[in-house]
Amino acid sequence: MNLLDRILYKWLFRSLANQLLITYLLVITLSLVFVSLWALVAIRKESLTDLQNTMEVEAINLGLEIDNDLVLDSPLSRQRIQAAVERRATRLGVSIVVVDKDGRLLADSQPIAQKENLSNEQEINEALAGVISKTTRSEPASNLNMLYVACPVRSMGETTGVIRVGVQLTQIERRLQKDLIVFLEIILATGVITVFISLLMARRLNRPVQEMSALAKQISISGDFSAFLPVRRQDEIGELCLSFNQMIGRLREQERVRQEFISNASHELKTPTMAIGSVVDAMLAGASEDPKLRAQFLGSLERLVERQTSLIQDLLDISKLDSGLDSNWQEEVSIVSLVNDTVEQLRPQADKKQISISTQMTLDSAGGNDLVVLGNGSQLQRAITNVLQNAINYTPAGGSVSVSARAVGGDKLEIKVQDTGVGIDSADLPHIFDRFYRADKARTRETGGTGLGLAIVREIIARHHGSMDVESLVGRGSTFVILIPLRQSGPEGA
Ligand code: ADP
C-alpha cells in the first residue's frame, strides 16, 4: 500500500462521516449523470423530429409556390424558382435545392456549384419515387453533418420535381452542448450541496458515537461510572445512547453491590476475629490458669472459629457462584435421594432440639419415575441444606419441620420446607434473600447464621432456572417453596 493509498484508507475508513459523505456523493452523482444522459438523448431526438417537421412544412409550401414554374420549365420560370428558393433559404437559414423530375438541378440556394444531376442522392431518389425522405449524413466535400428532407412536387398526379431542404446538424449539436453544460453545472451544484448536507448529517450522526466512545474510554481508564450520555434524539442512535446509559447504570449498581459486599464481608470477618483476640488476651492474662475458666474460654474459641469458618465457606461459595466457576450444571440429579440424604444429615441436630422432621416424596406421576432435574447435585444439596438448617435453627424445641418434594404442572419440581418456628416479620420478608440480611440479629447470632445462607440458595436456584417463594407468620412458622424445571424425558430418555 503506498502512502497515498494509506492516507486515503485512513481518511475514509477511520471516519463514519467520510464514509457517509462518499456514499452520498457517489449515489447522487451517479443518478444525476444517468438522468442527464437520458435527458440529452431525449432532447436530441425531440429536436431532430421538430426540425424535420419544420423542414417538411417549408418544402411543401415552396412546392405549392413553384409547382407551375416546374411544369413550364422555361428560363423565366427557372429564374422565379431560383428567387423563391433563395428567399426561403435566407429566411430560414437552410440550404434548398430543386431538381426536375429527372433529378437535374434547377435551383440551388448556395452559390457552390452542385452536381448537374442529383438523382443518385438517396433522399432525392426516394422523393422522385413519390415519398417524403429524411436522412442524415456527413457531406464528404464540406465534412459537415447534414440533415436532409426531400419532398416530391406533384402536378396532376405526376411527380414534376423534388425540393430538398438541408440543415447543418451542428445547430442541434451546439444546442446539446449548451444543455450538457447546464447539466454539468447542475451536477456540480448538487455535488456541493450534497457535500454540505452530508457533512452536517454525518456530524449529527457522528457526535453521539464520538461521545459514547469518549465516555467508554473514560470509564475504562478511571472506573468512574458517574457520567451519563446526553440523549438528544429519538431514533436508533438515541436508543443506543439510552441502552449505553442503562449499561452504565447497571455497572454502577454492580459496583455499589460489590463495594457493599466487601465492606459487609470485612465487617463480618472482623467481629469474630476481634472476639477471638479478646479471648486469647484474657487467657494470656491468666484466665487459662483456672481450669473452669479455661474450659469456658476454649469453648467460646471453638464456637468463634466455627463461625469464622462457616462465614469464610459462605463467602467462598457465593463468590464461586458469582464468578460462574462451578461448571457442571448438567448432571442428572435424583431429588428423592438428595432430599432424604440431606434430611438424614441434619436429623441429629433436629433431634438434639427435639424437633421432629417428616418427609413426603411424591414420585413422578408418569410411571412412578424418580424426580430428576438437570443441574449441579452438590449445589442443590447445599441449597436444600441451607433452607432446612434455617427451619431447624429458627424453630424452638418441640416444634416440627416437614419437607416435601413433588412434580407440579407436569414439568416442575416443587420442594417445600415448612416449619412451626418463630416466623418472619412481613417487613423483613422482602429482604431475607439479600446478602448479610438478618431479620433478628440477636437470634441469628445465637444460631451462628452469617446472613448469606438464603442469598446462596437464591443464586443456586436461579442457576437452575427456578424460582423461590416464602410465606410466613410471626409465631406460627414459615414455608419456603422452591420450583425448578424437571428434566424432560425425551424419546431416548423414555
Ligand atoms: P442466616 O445465616 O442468618 O440464617 P439466611 O440468609 O439463611 O441467614 O437467612 C436470612 C434471615 O432470614 C435469617 O437471619 C432469619 O432472620 C430469617 N430466616 C430464614 N429462614 C427462617 C425460618 N425458617 N424461620 C424464621 N426466620 C428465618
Side-chain angles (χ1 to χ4, degrees), residues 48 52 69 83 93 133 141 159 172 189 226 283 310 326 336 405 483:
L48 265 180
Q52 281 172 355
D69 288 326
S133 171
T159 302
I172 294 183
S226 59
M283 286 182 79
S310 76
D326 209 334
V336 173
L483 281 175

Side-chain angles (χ1 to χ4, degrees), residues 15-31:
S15 157
L16 208 62
N18 294 344
Q19 287 174 41
L20 267 178
L21 177 76
I22 294 289
T23 316
Y24 280 146
L25 213 60
L26 270 178
V27 169
I28 294 202
T29 313
L30 278 178
S31 29

Side-chain angles (χ1 to χ4, degrees), residues 25 81 86 96 161-162 187 206 297 307 310 354 363 382 425:
L25 213 60
I81 293 173
E86 280 176 15
I96 302 176
V162 166
I187 291 176
N206 231 9
F297 279 5
R307 193 173 139 63
S310 76
Q354 287 149 9
L363 293 186
R382 172 88 156 105
D425 195 288

Side-chain angles (χ1 to χ4, degrees), residues 390-391 394 419 423-424 432 437-440 444 449-451 453-454 478 480:
N390 279 347
Y394 299 106
D419 64 53
I424 305 161
I432 55 168
Y437 190 85
R438 295 168 177 118
D440 182 339
T444 322
T450 60
L454 287 179
S478 314
F480 285 82

Side-chain angles (χ1 to χ4, degrees), residues 6-68:
R6 225 176 296 154
I7 292 172
L8 202 74
Y9 188 84
K10 238 183 183 178
W11 178 80
L12 194 61
F13 291 107
R14 283 279 170 84
S15 157
L16 208 62
N18 294 344
Q19 287 174 41
L20 267 178
L21 177 76
I22 294 289
T23 316
Y24 280 146
L25 213 60
L26 270 178
V27 169
I28 294 202
T29 313
L30 278 178
S31 29
L32 276 177
V33 166
F34 180 74
V35 168
S36 307
L37 281 177
W38 177 81
L40 283 174
V41 170
I43 289 172
R44 188 174 197 276
K45 209 170 145 199
E46 188 73 8
S47 308
L48 265 180
T49 318
D50 274 359
L51 199 62
Q52 281 172 355
N53 290 342
T54 317
M55 287 159 76
E56 193 180 319
V57 170
E58 290 299 330
I60 290 169
N61 285 342
L62 182 62
L64 291 173
E65 198 182 329
I66 62 167
D67 57 349
N68 283 336

Side-chain angles (χ1 to χ4, degrees), residues 215 218-227 248:
L215 185 58
Q218 183 194 321
I219 292 175
S220 69
I221 293 169
S222 65
D224 171 16
F225 297 108
S226 59
I248 296 179

